[in-house]
Amino acid sequence: SVRKTPYFGGGFRAAHEAGIETLPHFRRKGCASKALAAWTTALLQEKTVPLYSALIENNSSQQLAKKSGWIVYGYGLSIYDKI
């Protein structure tokens, strides 16, 4: 999934946020690492800030981010109210 922000500032034209979902058959084969690296490189070449999203409870996604050199920049919180 990808989210685009039209203007980021600081010399960058935009920020794009992505998360990676890998089909079970392709897990543990380096596919997500390669996709994340290629996406990151392409965005930086375009002067676009890459932001990687991972659920806090998704250990595999957290490990991918850490292994790929990403740092935590924030945590999200969702609150749902009964209607």
Side-chain angles (χ1 to χ4, degrees):
S1 61
V2 175
R3 181 183 325 177
K4 298 177 182 180
T5 303
Y7 177 73
F8 192 78
F12 289 93
R13 294 190 299 225
H16 294 190
E17 179 180 359
I20 295 179
E21 296 180 34
T22 308
L23 294 172
H25 177 73
F26 295 99
R27 292 180 185 157
R28 315 269 322 142
K29 296 181 179 181
C31 296
S33 295
K34 289 176 185 174
L36 183 57
W39 177 77
T40 301
T41 299
L43 289 183
L44 290 174
Q45 289 174 348
E46 296 176 3
K47 293 287 190 188
T48 300
V49 176
L51 303 170
Y52 179 71
S53 292
L55 294 174
I56 194 73
E57 63 270 11
N58 187 336
N59 292 327
S60 295
S61 192
Q62 294 289 333
Q63 288 174 356
L64 169 64
K66 186 176 181 178
K67 180 178 135 184
S68 299
W70 289 80
I71 58 169
V72 175
Y73 67 89
Y75 294 97
L77 174 66
S78 296
I79 300 172
Y80 297 94
D81 192 10
K82 293 181 183 178
I83 297 176

